[in-house]
Amino acid sequence: MAASFDLDTATAELAARTAEFVRNVVVPEETRSGMSLHHADEQLRHNLVASAKAAGVYGPHVPKEFGGHELSLRRLAAVFEEAGRSLLGPLAIQAQAPDEGNINLLDKVANAEQRQRYLAPLATGEIRSCIVMTEPDGAGSDPNALATTARRTDRGWVINGRKWFISGAHGASFGIVLARTSGKPGAVAAPRCSSSTSTRPD
Ligand SMILES: Cc1cc2nc3c(=O)[nH]c(=O)nc-3n(C[C@H](O)[C@H](O)[C@H](O)COP(=O)(O)OP(=O)(O)OC[C@H]3O[C@@H](n4cnc5c(N)ncnc54)[C@H](O)[C@@H]3O)c2cc1C
């Protein structure tokens, strides 16, 4: 059976509205401010997010409970393509790396408290986040080389290690840290969990 990549009407309309929004609102702002992704100030980001919400194009990937469109991956591709025509476009719809991925991850694994504390303000565009993986001695391409450790205590976790190349760390309200709770760098650990299937079938 041949695969169809035709868009449904609602997604095609959202992609067209996103293209129009980027052309009429975001690109002029990019030209005026001279700012781009990871160099935009928070005020500009907040203004763009507010404009995207007013135009109904905010958060194509964001769960509906936080005001997004909750699209499947295939539909997202069409909308993200239009947002990406300006470096500030993903910022306006909160789809810039790593926030898009962090929203997706938290939506799948966060408990009720984490959902409220981290996912809600991130998904609504109130704050930014970062992902803290890469280390000077590996653990970039190869997470198996992770040397940063996380140890449980009665008051929380103690994390020890060095990280670098963390995009958007400056100004991020929180970071998702990759650290090991057991084993040694380089040793192949048995998988602790299996990947979950998408809850947004196409
Ligand atoms: C623009 C930009 C933004 C970034 N943002 C972030 C961020 O937000 N958070 C974050 O944590 N990191 C971030 N990084 C870091 C990025 O994830 C790493 O640079 C990348 O994963 C590669 O890791 P590395 O630089 O340590 O190189 P290495 O992992 O040391 O790789 C160097 C070379 O060795 C090869 N190699 C490594 N391990 C193996 C192996 N086991 N087998 C075979 N070949 C191997 C690689 O393919 C590569 O060619 C960013 C990097 C860039 C350029």
Side-chain angles (χ1 to χ4, degrees), residues 104-116 118-119:
N104 192 21
L105 175 66
L106 289 171
D107 187 35
K108 288 195 166 52
V109 306
N111 62 27
E113 193 220 327
Q114 292 164 337
R115 243 181 131 70
Q116 202 49 41
Y118 300 106
L119 178 58

Side-chain angles (χ1 to χ4, degrees), residues 7-130:
L7 283 183
D8 57 286
T9 311
T11 309
E13 274 173 15
L14 180 60
R17 273 192 289 125
T18 303
E20 193 186 343
F21 171 72
V22 169
R23 194 168 50 246
N24 296 338
V25 178
V26 181
V27 169
E29 200 51 53
E30 185 176 339
T31 312
R32 189 196 62 74
S33 67
M35 291 181 182
S36 73
L37 189 65
H38 298 313
H39 298 107
D41 66 33
E42 271 301 277
Q43 190 54 56
L44 173 64
R45 193 182 72 77
H46 280 295
N47 292 347
L48 288 171
V49 164
S51 301
K53 286 180 178 173
V57 298
Y58 178 80
H61 54 303
V62 167
K64 286 188 175 153
E65 70 178 286
F66 300 114
H69 296 269
E70 203 174 307
L71 297 185
S72 68
L73 278 180
R74 190 173 69 80
R75 293 180 170 119
L76 277 180
V79 181
F80 282 174
E81 183 178 2
E82 298 305 338
R85 295 190 190 279
S86 160
L87 284 173
L88 292 180
L91 208 64
I93 61 170
Q94 191 76 329
Q96 72 283 6
D99 292 308
E100 188 267 338
N102 285 352
I103 289 170
N104 192 21
L105 175 66
L106 289 171
D107 187 35
K108 288 195 166 52
V109 306
N111 62 27
E113 193 220 327
Q114 292 164 337
R115 243 181 131 70
Q116 202 49 41
R117 184 168 173 191
Y118 300 106
L119 178 58
L122 187 64
T124 52
E126 212 178 294
I127 59 169
R128 285 196 302 100
S129 65
C130 60

Side-chain angles (χ1 to χ4, degrees), residues 98 130-136 138-142 163-168:
C130 60
I131 185 116
V132 189
M133 172 187 70
T134 307
E135 300 176 0
S141 314
D142 184 5
K163 300 284 185 180
W164 67 3
F165 298 155
I166 311 305
S167 301

